[in-house]
Amino acid sequence: MNEPKDQKLASRNMPGMNRPDRFAEVQHAEHLGATLKRIFAYFARERAMVIGMLAVVIFGTLCSVYAPSLQSRAIDTIAGVRTGNLLGIVLLMLGVYLLHSLCQLLQGVVSARLSQRVVKHMREELFAKLVDLPVRYLDTHSHGDVVSRMTNDIENLSTTVSQSLPSLFSGVLTIIGTVAIMLWYCWQLALLSYATVLLTLLATKFLSGRVRKFSRKRQQLLGQLNGTVEEMVSGYRTVVAYNRQAQTTEDFCQTADSLTKVGIKTDIFSGVMGPVMNCIGNIGFVIIAAFGGYFSIHGLISVGVISAFIVYAKQFSRPINELAQVYGQLQTAIAGAERVFTVLDEADEDKAGEALQDNEQKTVTFQNVNFSYEPGHPVIRDFSLTVPSGKKVALVGATGSGKTTIVNLLMRFYDIESGTIRINGQDISQVSRDDLRKNMAIVLQDTVLFSDTLRQNMKYGNEAATDEEITAAMKMSRCDDLPRRLPQGWESVLVNSGENISQGQRQLLAIARAFVADPKILILDEATSNVDTRTEKAIQDAMQRVMQDRTSIVIAHRLSTIRDSDIIVVMDHGQIVESGNHDQLLAQRGKYYELYQTQYAGFAT
Amino acid sequence: MMWKYIRRYLPYAILAAAFMVGEVSMDLIQPGIMSQIVDDGVLGLNTGGTGNLDLIWRLGLQMICLVLFGGLCGSLNNVFVHMSGQNIGNDMRKDCFRKIMTFSFPQIDRFGTGSLVTRMTNDITQVQNFISQFVRGMIRTTVLTFGSIYCMFRLSRVFGYVVLCVFPLIILVMAVCMKKSSSLFTKLQTQLDTVNSIMQEDVAGIRVIKACVRELYEKLRFGKANNELIQTQLRVLIIFAFMNPIVNALMYLAVAAILLVGNITVRAGGATPGNVMAAITYTTQLLNGLLMLVMLFQNITRGIASWKRVRVLLDSTPELADGEQAGETALRGSVEFQDVSFAYPDGQTVLEHIDLKLEPGETLALMGETGCGKTSLVSLIPRFYDVTGGAVLVDGVNVKEYRQTALRDKIAVALQKSELFSASVAENIAWGDPEAGEAAIRAAATVAQADSFIAQMPEGYQTLVAERGMSLSGGQKQRVSIARAVVKNAEILIFDDSTSALDLKTEADLYAALREANPHSTKIIVAQRIASARQADRIAVLENGHIIACGPHEELLASCPTYQAIYQSQMGEEDDHHE
């Protein structure tokens, strides 16, 4: 379960600027073949660009293989071991080099466009998928995880494919090209130069094992450290109230110190790779200089060839260096792609169905409804209830008694297992979800506002609403002074999901939003729990008017919220224990009476 | 400021720099030796055209030694670089944390929790990388660049001039690219934040989206934000796509020029073919150095930006001055507000002219609408905030005269949003009193009505509270945090709406147990429900920052219209008939 936290940290990186480090943990895809095929499909859509890019890469590589041989000829001409028109050779060489640069440029531009197009498409597709998925998916998956797929995995995939792939491709071509031409010039010297490749591979293998071991430890400590900071800063009030600053600091310093120790070890092992590679490169250089000189004296090669070899040796050690790295990156990217595809493969919420019959009356009937989130753990059992049109029904009961589940079922966020839910006799499982939901409005305990303007937020449930309608709704929910209090009035953007207004205000806004939606059926799920009782009372009075001819279902913790309901339903373990109006239930002296007594114990003196 | 941290690890940094110079010097010497191999060994320029095999082997061996020495220097440089960088980062991180722990609440509010966390984590890591890269990269590039130019001048003046001509051009290209991209980076960050926040809020608010059938709207909203981000990102990538090839092209131009100029010089006897080859190698080295500079530059700009943010944190001074009073007072448990006014730093006035006195052992309930200043009022007692007018006296002494720890030792607070920490339940409770034994913890939990559910958990009191209490329900968290306050056995107990998630039965039991367990403590209870408040000795009703009434339940019910209104909103009309 540590993973989401780490990924959250990673998501702070800038997209496109991720520079996966050489020894980063490599992840593996489970179904490599199938995943690859789908990745191909994405890039196949941009066929022209992909083909263009590959052509440019091939041409560029040819240039880079050809140019050093011209350089070698020029040196030979200068040394006098070969005659020819030096100016001509140099100009040709320059031309080839410049073409190579041009190819690099084109490749860069094309791969940037390609990667960004693929990111854009994939991200839009995944976002659309998330919105279209049944609520169950987001209820059962960590949100941090989902967001990380949207950012990291997609970003990773496209950067790797569009940037590492060309370098892989040109790398392989360059290796083949240079190896061939080196062998052609002087196979003895070529073979000697290849010795450095072996050294590179050995060094990488030796170091990477060690680095991985330490970096895993480091990652874990880092998570711990960041966790401590987050916890102590957000819980600062408590830290101060209990005078725990010194103790907390000491704990923090301990973690910080052990992180530093592990960090130094990791960095030493991973950082030493640079100097070691440099050293190996230089050894190659020496081999070429010394043995090249030796061969040259024996007349096997000319001086110019030594110069060419130096360039070639550089040219072919670079891609070999990169290959190991790119290979790991590719695997991680493919594993990420697989995760993205898993989400994309989830079935959408089924939007099909008939329209809800247009009728001013909205009678809601539950008939022998059974439901469970997990098989074998029934949450709603044989639930039957009729909510007459225009009446207010309250659901009461302990946490976990299934009140909120009833809302989930009525909104068709989840589908029932058996039984039926009807509106005016029409089975809602036959009604399209969109049409069903358009007839209802819900206000939830966790208020959701969007980082959009105040007006857009208010119009969320009813796009056609006029400013007058919105003001009227806000007046009813007692928050009509808000546009005046916010700096930009109606156009103020509610930052960070509405954190620039208080929790209570947010709830009032959410209620106003539901009023604006002007629904046939209104559902309030603990909607006023963060509002003090007087304000709640005022809202209720207003609601009485609004809800006069509407069916409403109210879930509340405070009995004062629901006592004037037409029907109060007491639930326990997914079943209805009693129902009736307040006075009837009190008279019954059952569960409701008990609840009432505890809430108002000692009041009725 | 930075120097303060570097100074402590200066020896490491100096050693690192010295080894780096060693490594680069070896890189610089090699082409010279190679030139000798070509000229004297192969071409035999000084021996009349006959090659010298012995010389080649000797020079080759010499080169290998230099290379290995260079590698050793490089590795040691790497060791010392990280020892200095990581240690400096660690010191900074610890200092930052210590600093935060001295902050007042207005300071914390000003920074914002999120910003403090990023500064502590991300920013310091950036600074740390910046130091490491600076020590390693900057020295390497500088020595390599100037060393290469110097060596070329030594080979032949003309080679030096060629490089000097190209060098400024390359720098210019890089500077233009950096400048163009840097403004885009800021834009990129804001756009990225927008995309992320849309994602997060939509994932969290999926029910509302679906209930309002706004799926399409959200897709369009996301599409727009995503598109803007992608556009900017593309522009950045394209700028960098131009940079490398152009710099490369300039270098190839220099190589061509060296070949042509070299030919003339060789003919004139001013240089040898080996020199020409060496000059070309130096040019490539120079280029590599410069390209590395670009990468460094990016990290450095990021590092400096981070450093600025960290520095603000390190530079800030604790706002609350400690007093002298060590806590010994004759009175135990008295609280007095004398004409107290309070406004938040943003100017929002919350409390005006509050006068209120609590005797030791008294229980006071505070009631009022959301946002009327109840929490602010109790926050003044442990000096979470300082009054803007008047004075708060605890045990007859102004809170500003206490040492902060002494003052807070007298007070136990349970908050509405209970903050628990990733430790076992027992450890969380023991925050109230580190000396508390198992029995004391259990007793406190029993008072808080928490013992029964804690005992039912798989590992009882040793159960770990995961992720700030995500594993517990709201009511459970509140009860653990109340237990923590109870175990502290303080003179003054403050319950800031800390029983809001409990049902009334549990709440009533809790208060009864509390009265029995801590009869001498002064208790201040912020409450929304009349049922929680009515047992108090006195109830203070706050409205618009003023105390409009204060007295026992019956008295308020008879005389205070606001209280009556609250009562009615909770009771409903028919109960009035009972009265």
Side-chain angles (χ1 to χ4, degrees):
Chain A
M1 282 313 283
N2 258 334
E3 211 178 35
K5 196 181 250 176
D6 296 341
Q7 284 174 340
K8 195 171 70 193
L9 280 172
S11 69
R12 287 195 186 127
N13 286 340
M14 234 177 261
M17 298 294 125
N18 294 349
R19 231 175 255 288
D21 98 75
R22 176 186 198 95
F23 298 111
E25 200 81 32
V26 173
Q27 299 164 359
H28 298 276
E30 272 170 44
H31 308 285
L32 189 66
T35 312
L36 274 177
K37 234 185 221 163
R38 290 182 70 167
I39 297 176
F40 268 123
Y42 273 93
F43 285 86
R45 260 190 245 168
E46 317 289 342
R47 203 171 294 123
M49 265 202 234
V50 175
I51 291 172
M53 187 169 79
L54 292 185
V56 168
V57 169
I58 293 173
F59 189 68
T61 312
L62 286 178
C63 287
S64 73
V65 173
Y66 181 49
S69 74
L70 290 169
Q71 186 178 323
S72 142
R73 258 159 67 189
I75 296 269
D76 280 347
T77 316
I78 292 173
V81 291
R82 179 200 278 263
T83 50
N85 175 9
L86 181 71
L87 185 67
I89 296 171
V90 171
L91 284 183
L92 182 60
M93 180 201 83
L94 185 63
V96 175
Y97 269 137
L98 289 183
L99 271 178
H100 171 59
S101 295
L102 186 69
C103 288
Q104 272 189 319
L105 194 152
L106 284 176
Q107 182 199 320
V109 172
V110 174
S111 87
R113 278 188 194 283
L114 180 63
S115 68
Q116 295 311 306
R117 280 178 76 118
V118 173
V119 171
K120 183 169 163 307
H121 282 152
M122 273 191 136
R123 206 183 271 151
E124 274 171 5
E125 209 171 314
L126 186 58
F127 183 84
K129 188 75 194 183
L130 286 178
V131 175
D132 287 337
L133 279 175
V135 171
R136 180 190 285 272
Y137 185 84
L138 287 176
D139 279 353
T140 50
H141 288 79
S142 139
H143 290 184
D145 223 34
V146 170
V147 170
S148 138
R149 272 173 212 199
M150 293 282 299
T151 48
N152 288 357
D153 287 347
I154 291 183
E155 197 69 45
N156 224 342
L157 173 73
S158 80
T159 0
T160 309
V161 173
S162 63
Q163 283 168 36
S164 306
L165 215 57
S167 82
L168 192 84
F169 194 63
S170 80
V172 173
L173 279 180
T174 312
I175 291 173
I176 296 173
T178 24
V179 165
I181 207 162
M182 280 166 97
L183 286 172
W184 180 73
Y185 267 125
C186 172
W187 63 269
Q188 297 94 330
L189 189 55
L191 287 183
L192 283 167
S193 323
Y194 303 152
T196 55
V197 177
L198 264 174
L199 284 176
T200 311
L201 292 180
L202 279 178
T204 314
K205 184 136 188 71
F206 175 78
L207 286 172
S208 57
R210 252 140 264 255
V211 173
R212 259 179 217 145
K213 192 181 102 198
F214 286 119
S215 70
R216 214 168 293 157
K217 183 103 192 280
R218 175 197 216 169
Q219 214 53 44
Q220 180 221 328
L221 278 168
L222 195 68
Q224 196 181 327
L225 185 98
N226 291 345
T228 313
V229 174
E230 209 148 346
E231 198 169 274
M232 294 308 162
V233 173
S234 50
Y236 189 54
R237 222 167 252 268
T238 307
V239 173
V240 169
Y242 289 94
N243 281 332
R244 292 283 292 213
Q245 294 98 322
Q247 181 63 41
T248 305
T249 310
E250 199 180 297
D251 290 348
F252 175 83
C253 289
Q254 261 175 21
T255 319
D257 284 339
S258 37
L259 172 69
T260 305
K261 276 199 202 103
V262 178
I264 290 178
K265 278 185 202 147
T266 323
D267 279 353
I268 284 178
F269 277 112
S270 68
V272 85
M273 205 62 203
V276 167
M277 287 300 161
N278 192 26
C279 187
I280 292 176
N282 283 335
I283 289 174
F285 188 79
V286 173
I287 291 176
I288 291 166
F291 286 93
Y294 173 82
F295 290 136
S296 170
I297 283 188
H298 288 275
L300 278 166
I301 51 169
S302 68
V303 201
V305 175
I306 302 181
S307 157
F309 257 76
I310 290 173
V311 180
Y312 284 131
K314 272 224 170 75
Q315 261 183 13
F316 102 116
S317 69
R318 190 180 42 87
I320 285 188
N321 240 328
E322 283 173 3
L323 275 184
Q325 194 178 336
V326 169
Y327 182 67
Q329 252 170 270
L330 259 179
Q331 284 199 311
T332 309
I334 293 169
E338 193 173 34
R339 284 195 292 269
V340 172
F341 293 145
T342 329
V343 182
L344 289 179
D345 285 345
E346 294 279 335
D348 273 350
E349 208 174 34
D350 184 8
K351 294 277 187 183
E354 57 200 43
L356 192 69
Q357 282 154 22
D358 204 21
N359 193 333
E360 276 309 302
Q361 300 288 306
K362 293 290 176 214
T363 304
V364 180
T365 329
F366 292 82
Q367 202 170 35
N368 307 105
V369 171
N370 282 292
F371 176 76
S372 61
Y373 291 102
E374 290 163 58
H377 296 274
V379 180
I380 298 296
R381 285 183 263 196
D382 198 27
F383 185 91
S384 296
L385 173 70
T386 303
V387 185
S389 181
K391 297 288 180 197
K392 178 176 168 187
V393 167
L395 299 179
V396 185
T399 321
S401 58
K403 294 167 296 186
T404 300
T405 308
I406 294 295
V407 177
N408 278 336
L409 298 178
L410 183 57
M411 294 295 287
R412 283 193 72 195
F413 289 146
Y414 286 84
D415 275 334
I416 53 176
E417 271 160 21
S418 64
T420 43
I421 302 175
R422 291 200 173 85
I423 294 180
N424 288 341
Q426 189 180 8
D427 188 345
I428 62 165
S429 65
Q430 302 304 314
V431 177
S432 91
R433 286 185 162 84
D434 283 358
D435 207 58
L436 177 72
R437 288 169 190 165
K438 272 183 191 146
N439 283 285
M440 302 192 223
I442 52 170
V443 184
L444 301 170
Q445 183 173 21
D446 292 324
T447 335
V448 177
L449 295 175
F450 298 90
S451 51
D452 210 333
T453 61
L454 179 61
R455 178 181 282 112
Q456 283 300 335
N457 265 295
M458 285 299 101
K459 283 164 82 167
Y460 208 79
N462 177 7
E463 261 179 287
T466 61
D467 279 5
E468 287 71 45
E469 286 169 329
I470 299 174
T471 314
M474 287 175 85
K475 197 165 252 157
M476 270 188 283
S477 76
R478 301 234 156 176
C479 57
D480 54 318
D481 61 326
L482 197 70
R484 260 174 284 129
R485 280 193 14 232
L486 290 173
Q488 266 102 45
W490 287 103
E491 301 308 322
S492 306
V493 173
L494 306 179
V495 278
N496 269 343
S497 307
E499 271 165 25
N500 48 353
I501 44 178
S502 78
Q503 185 63 32
Q505 291 278 5
R506 295 181 57 183
Q507 239 176 3
L508 299 182
L509 281 180
I511 294 169
R513 179 172 63 195
F515 288 168
V516 173
D518 193 24
K520 298 285 187 305
I521 300 170
L522 181 72
I523 301 169
L524 302 173
D525 187 355
E526 293 280 9
T528 48
S529 59
N530 285 329
V531 181
D532 59 274
T533 46
R534 270 178 81 198
T535 315
E536 185 189 36
K537 181 91 176 125
I539 296 173
Q540 274 177 354
D541 293 343
M543 267 191 320
Q544 290 276 290
R545 272 173 278 138
V546 181
M547 299 318 297
Q548 221 143 49
D549 306 315
R550 284 165 233 256
T551 314
S552 54
I553 297 177
V554 180
I555 296 174
H557 192 74
R558 296 183 195 139
L559 293 187
S560 60
T561 311
I562 51 96
R563 57 181 301 156
D564 61 348
S565 305
D566 299 306
I567 305 169
I568 297 170
V569 175
V570 184
M571 288 182 68
D572 192 30
H573 292 102
Q575 281 170 312
I576 296 178
V577 193
E578 337 172 282
S579 66
N581 68 23
H582 176 72
D583 292 330
Q584 291 167 345
L585 286 175
L586 277 190
Q588 276 184 24
R589 306 235 151 194
K591 199 110 185 160
Y592 183 80
Y593 178 78
E594 238 173 72
L595 221 61
Y596 184 78
Q597 286 303 309
T598 52
Q599 285 213 3
Y600 294 101
F603 269 110
T605 39
Chain B
M1 187 71 189
M2 176 88 96
W3 177 240
K4 188 182 124 200
Y5 292 95
I6 296 176
R7 203 174 50 201
R8 249 176 273 174
Y9 301 98
L10 197 59
Y12 290 157
I14 289 174
L15 275 173
F19 282 120
M20 178 44 83
V21 173
E23 187 191 5
V24 178
S25 308
M26 294 310 114
D27 285 355
L28 286 173
I29 293 173
Q30 284 167 46
I33 298 180
M34 191 204 59
S35 151
Q36 227 184 327
I37 292 183
V38 171
D39 291 342
D40 299 339
V42 181
L43 295 174
L45 288 182
N46 296 327
T47 49
T50 43
N52 184 345
L53 207 54
D54 278 352
L55 186 72
I56 293 179
W57 291 133
R58 215 176 59 235
L59 288 174
L61 198 68
Q62 205 179 328
M63 271 173 96
I64 284 282
C65 292
L66 289 177
V67 163
L68 290 178
F69 179 68
L72 183 70
C73 281
S75 306
L76 285 172
N77 158 271
N78 172 58
V79 169
F80 287 111
V81 160
H82 292 303
M83 282 177 70
S84 53
Q86 294 262 1
N87 277 312
I88 290 171
N90 190 29
D91 280 2
M92 274 184 195
R93 196 173 282 132
K94 290 199 277 192
D95 277 1
C96 279
F97 195 83
R98 284 192 195 106
K99 185 68 88 176
I100 293 176
M101 287 294 135
T102 65
F103 274 2
S104 69
F105 288 95
Q107 272 175 306
I108 295 264
D109 296 344
R110 246 188 337 263
F111 277 108
T113 313
S115 151
L116 281 176
V117 173
T118 355
R119 277 171 219 246
M120 286 286 303
T121 51
N122 223 21
D123 283 337
I124 292 188
T125 312
Q126 293 285 4
V127 173
Q128 189 177 306
N129 287 344
F130 159 69
I131 294 169
S132 299
Q133 276 169 350
F134 194 83
V135 176
R136 201 179 146 69
M138 263 327 239
I139 294 174
R140 187 181 167 82
T141 358
T142 324
V143 178
L144 202 62
T145 310
F146 291 102
S148 301
I149 294 177
Y150 169 76
C151 288
M152 289 185 79
F153 267 103
R154 269 198 38 187
L155 286 173
S156 164
R157 291 261 286 283
V158 280
F159 295 155
Y161 290 137
V162 170
V163 176
L164 277 191
C165 286
V166 180
F167 188 66
L169 285 177
I170 294 183
I171 297 286
L172 183 76
V173 171
M174 290 179 172
V176 169
C177 290
M178 297 305 307
K179 195 169 171 290
K180 279 199 158 175
S181 61
S182 70
S183 63
L184 286 178
F185 274 128
T186 353
K187 207 169 149 194
L188 197 63
Q189 193 56 50
T190 10
Q191 288 172 340
L192 182 65
D193 288 345
T194 317
V195 167
N196 276 339
S197 71
I198 293 182
M199 271 179 332
Q200 260 147 16
E201 68 194 27
D202 280 15
V203 166
I206 190 72
R207 277 186 163 73
V208 173
I209 295 170
K210 283 189 181 291
C212 296
V213 198
R214 282 300 203 112
E215 289 98 332
L216 191 64
Y217 176 80
E218 287 304 320
K219 284 180 206 169
L220 291 176
R221 189 163 80 106
F222 179 80
K224 193 166 152 269
N226 186 35
N227 213 5
E228 279 166 11
L229 174 69
I230 295 280
Q231 289 300 333
T232 317
Q233 213 160 202
L234 188 60
R235 280 168 67 193
V236 173
L237 286 175
I238 284 184
I239 288 174
F240 282 99
F242 268 88
M243 193 180 72
N244 270 13
I246 291 180
V247 170
N248 266 327
L250 283 171
M251 187 200 65
Y252 294 138
L253 216 59
V255 170
I258 286 170
L259 282 170
L260 291 177
V261 175
N263 186 38
I264 297 164
T265 327
V266 171
R267 297 274 171 270
T272 60
N275 289 163
V276 178
M277 275 170 67
I280 293 175
T281 315
Y282 282 129
T283 317
T284 9
Q285 268 182 356
L286 179 72
L287 176 89
N288 285 335
L290 287 178
L291 283 180
M292 215 165 89
L293 195 71
V294 175
M295 237 173 74
L296 271 178
F297 208 81
Q298 275 182 37
N299 289 330
I300 286 173
T301 25
R302 231 182 288 175
I304 289 177
S306 289
W307 168 240
K308 277 190 197 143
R309 289 155 54 83
V310 173
R311 202 185 150 142
V312 174
L313 213 166
L314 287 169
D315 274 348
S316 43
T317 42
E319 273 176 353
L320 290 185
D322 246 348
E324 292 297 316
Q325 235 296 343
E328 289 94 22
T329 44
L331 282 165
R332 291 186 62 79
S334 114
V335 177
E336 190 176 355
F337 292 86
Q338 291 180 340
D339 193 29
V340 166
S341 295
F342 174 67
Y344 280 105
D346 59 15
Q348 186 195 344
T349 307
V350 188
L351 299 170
E352 279 172 302
H353 308 295
I354 301 282
D355 276 297
L356 185 68
K357 191 166 191 307
L358 274 91
E359 299 302 332
E362 195 183 349
T363 301
L364 176 87
L366 273 174
M367 295 204 73
E369 282 183 25
T370 16
C372 70
K374 293 168 296 197
T375 297
S376 308
L377 187 67
V378 293
S379 295
L380 298 175
I381 305 171
R383 229 188 141 196
F384 287 165
Y385 292 91
D386 267 342
V387 295
T388 40
V392 178
L393 274 58
V394 167
D395 294 342
V397 178
N398 191 326
V399 288
K400 289 184 184 173
E401 284 164 28
Y402 281 104
R403 277 218 299 268
Q404 287 171 55
T405 45
L407 171 68
R408 288 168 192 152
D409 272 339
K410 288 170 174 286
I411 305 164
V413 194
L415 301 169
Q416 177 183 24
K417 201 179 129 251
S418 14
E419 290 155 345
L420 300 183
F421 300 90
S422 315
S424 70
V425 173
E427 281 170 296
N428 263 293
I429 296 176
W431 264 52
D433 175 12
E435 253 94 82
E438 219 172 289
I441 290 174
R442 249 197 119 95
T446 312
V447 171
Q449 310 298 310
D451 182 57
S452 52
F453 81 82
I454 296 173
Q456 271 172 24
M457 290 197 285
E459 283 160 82
Y461 281 81
Q462 297 313 315
T463 310
L464 282 180
V465 176
E467 291 213 17
R468 255 176 278 146
M470 296 290 263
S471 47
L472 301 175
S473 78
Q476 291 176 330
K477 274 192 279 186
Q478 285 190 335
R479 279 177 276 173
V480 172
S481 96
I482 289 170
R484 178 170 63 190
V486 169
V487 86
K488 188 167 177 180
N489 206 4
E491 298 166 22
I492 301 163
L493 263 173
I494 299 174
F495 282 15
D496 185 0
D497 209 0
S498 58
T499 51
S500 59
L502 305 187
D503 62 68
L504 280 156
K505 168 100 170 62
T506 315
E507 189 187 42
D509 291 348
L510 190 153
Y511 283 128
L514 188 66
R515 262 196 303 279
E516 209 165 296
N518 291 39
H520 305 299
S521 312
T522 309
K523 300 173 197 70
I524 301 177
I525 296 164
V526 174
Q528 296 226 9
R529 299 188 287 213
I530 296 258
S532 327
R534 77 185 297 266
Q535 301 287 343
D537 299 320
R538 278 190 297 163
I539 299 164
V541 182
L542 266 175
E543 198 168 68
N544 295 326
H546 297 274
I547 292 183
I548 52 161
C550 185
H553 174 71
E554 271 72 28
E555 188 186 314
L556 291 183
L557 207 52
S559 64
C560 175
T562 309
Y563 191 75
Q564 287 164 357
I566 299 174
Y567 181 79
Q568 252 147 47
S569 71
Q570 294 185 12
M571 288 305 300
E573 288 83 35
E574 65 251 63
D575 287 280
D576 291 338
H577 306 308
H578 292 279
E579 300 267 337

